[in-house]
Amino acid sequence: MLKPSLSGAPVSSLEDMLAPLPKYRAKQIFAWINAGAGAFDLMTNLPRSLRNELDERFCLRKTSVINSFEDNSGGAVKLQISIEGGIIEAVALVDAAGRRTACLSTQLGCAMGCVFCKTGGMGFKRNLDSSEITEQFYHIRDLYPDVANIVFMGMGEPLHNLSGLRQAVSTLCETSSQRRITVSTCGITEGIMSLADEGPAVRLAVSLTTAREALRRKLMPVSSANPLNSLKEALLYHQERHRRRITLEAVALGGVNTSDEDAAAMAGFARGLSVVVNLIPWNPVENLLFEGKALKEPSAAELKRFRAALEARGLKTVLRREKGRGIAGACGQLGATENV
Ligand code: SAH
Ligand code: SF4
């Protein structure tokens, strides 16, 4: 049995874990963890006997990086991280302005079964705990000390692991008040309401994919239990409380969801919300079929036309660059271990 890790606990939880130690000790230890200390013995403002005792009871990291892959463009680095029972992936991305963003996983696998996503094809193994989530960020920060922003767009559905997500977000926000954190969900209505009511006040990205209800049901089984009208209500409710623009993610699947009808439906869905549409050209994953046919990337002309159709209907769009493709570290490609 692994010793419990102290890495995923905000100071208040550390105080409980370390009781009856005085509270200032929890603060000192948190500061060391945040500074990247790899061993209790380095915590020189703690008495040696305490360092030894902590070392017997706890560890500082319970996960370890087993592989890293750098994209040719230098834009993305994927880390494979070993956890109890499997391997998860986290990606360090660079945006156009040169800022580093950490893309983190919240589950080992995913139960949602979206037909276009590699993680979906793995099935669901288990939720990650707060240490397993927080340590992904620390592993990335070991390589890139300036990484600040976080997107929960790795493996898994974050809103099906709200407790792990909440605890990790509290911990990560304590290490910097400047963090910009975005949670991407496939559209779990109940989870969105829970975020609206109880926080944390993260930015929201919703993987809409299409606003044509029947097509969405086929592409994303989750939409049967979370139909578009209730999803929209939840987004309106969230936006009323948090007053932040919501990102609608739309993975563009060649010949499937890029028609004028899709553009019109999306504009209809967006009415009354403040949104930006993030168009993501589908990243190839082998052996994924939709209605008996292999999924394919949208052509450049198709993407251009779809984007123009969205813009013509008043939707602001952003085309996501395909960072990470060469290392299977791009959106929806996470989950393989053998082909990299
Ligand atoms: N489960 C969450 C977060 C992880 S998926 C969610 O679904 O939002 C992150 C994003 O990757 C989603 O917007 C999803 O639509 C997109 N995605 C999945 N598979 C993809 C693929 N093969 N190519 C491009 N984007 C993909
Ligand atoms: Fe899960 Fe998101 Fe992939 Fe759907 S797109 S299977 S919700 S990780």
Side-chain angles (χ1 to χ4, degrees):
M1 210 31 210
L2 287 173
K3 291 182 275 189
S5 166
L6 296 182
S7 59
V11 173
S12 56
S13 309
L14 269 187
E15 286 170 2
D16 295 340
M17 288 171 87
L18 298 170
L21 282 183
K23 291 187 171 175
Y24 72 92
R25 289 288 185 213
K27 282 207 185 66
Q28 288 175 318
I29 292 166
F30 186 85
W32 280 110
I33 294 171
N34 186 36
F40 288 105
D41 209 37
L42 300 170
M43 301 182 179
T44 45
N45 55 356
L46 308 183
R48 183 166 296 277
S49 57
L50 176 58
R51 286 183 247 164
N52 290 340
E53 187 200 320
L54 289 170
D55 195 36
E56 270 162 35
R57 290 174 56 203
F58 301 104
C59 65
L60 288 167
R61 292 205 188 162
K62 64 180 195 179
T63 68
S64 50
V65 175
I66 52 169
N67 268 317
S68 74
F69 306 92
E70 187 160 0
D71 186 302
N72 290 338
S73 68
V77 172
K78 175 170 85 170
L79 302 183
Q80 288 185 332
I81 296 167
S82 145
I83 64 169
E84 230 177 317
I87 294 168
I88 51 167
E89 299 178 333
V91 185
L93 298 157
V94 188
D95 67 19
R99 281 179 305 248
R100 288 263 168 201
T101 294
C103 174
L104 308 183
S105 298
T106 52
Q107 298 183 317
L108 180 57
C110 182
M112 301 293 97
C114 304
V115 301
F116 45 83
C117 172
K118 181 169 222 160
T119 312
M122 286 174 69
F124 174 69
K125 308 274 168 43
R126 67 174 176 86
N127 279 334
L128 304 186
D129 69 21
S130 174
S131 298
E132 290 163 334
I133 298 171
T134 309
E135 288 180 24
Q136 295 171 55
F137 182 77
Y138 289 159
H139 289 306
I140 289 177
R141 203 186 51 181
D142 288 346
L143 295 173
Y144 305 106
D146 62 334
V147 61
N149 298 337
I150 295 171
V151 292
F152 286 97
M153 290 183 189
M155 294 161 71
E157 170 46 48
L159 300 189
H160 273 173
N161 183 10
L162 269 171
S163 72
L165 178 77
R166 284 198 163 108
Q167 175 97 345
V169 167
S170 315
T171 308
L172 291 164
C173 285
E174 269 178 14
T175 65
S176 160
S177 56
Q178 303 300 313
R179 268 192 216 312
R180 181 203 256 231
I181 299 186
T182 304
V183 170
S184 174
T185 173
C186 60
I188 310 291
T189 306
E190 208 182 320
I192 295 169
M193 304 291 276
S194 172
L195 282 185
D197 286 335
E198 289 156 52
V202 289
R203 283 157 208 264
L204 205 57
V206 179
S207 302
L208 189 62
T209 314
T210 178
R212 284 161 62 200
E213 184 96 65
L215 178 61
R216 191 168 193 268
R217 271 187 200 190
K218 290 188 207 158
L219 294 169
M220 304 178 72
V222 66
S223 43
S224 300
N226 297 266
L228 288 169
N229 58 355
S230 62
L231 175 59
K232 178 150 176 188
E233 263 171 46
L235 295 181
L236 285 167
Y237 184 77
H238 191 277
Q239 197 145 62
E240 218 170 81
R241 270 154 190 74
H242 292 288
R243 310 233 159 256
R244 282 228 174 110
R245 192 152 72 175
I246 292 171
T247 300
L248 298 181
E249 295 163 282
V251 46
L253 309 164
V256 173
N257 64 345
T258 56
S259 66
D260 249 25
E261 208 185 331
D262 287 286
M266 201 168 293
F269 182 83
R271 208 162 294 133
L273 288 165
S274 164
V275 298
V276 58
V277 176
N278 199 340
L279 269 183
I280 314 167
W282 182 67
N283 291 311
V285 178
E286 267 173 39
N287 301 326
L288 291 188
L289 297 180
F290 178 58
E291 299 190 321
K293 279 194 271 174
L295 285 169
K296 59 175 198 279
E297 298 171 57
S299 70
E302 182 181 357
L303 259 185
K304 199 171 161 201
R305 210 180 330 106
F306 185 50
R307 190 174 182 191
L310 293 168
E311 296 266 352
R313 290 178 169 82
L315 287 173
K316 186 176 158 39
T317 60
V318 176
L319 186 61
R320 193 182 291 172
R321 286 162 64 209
E322 296 141 34
K323 290 264 191 246
R325 237 186 213 201
I327 51 171
C331 287
Q333 292 184 312
L334 300 182
T337 51
E338 69 284 357
N339 70 337
V340 280

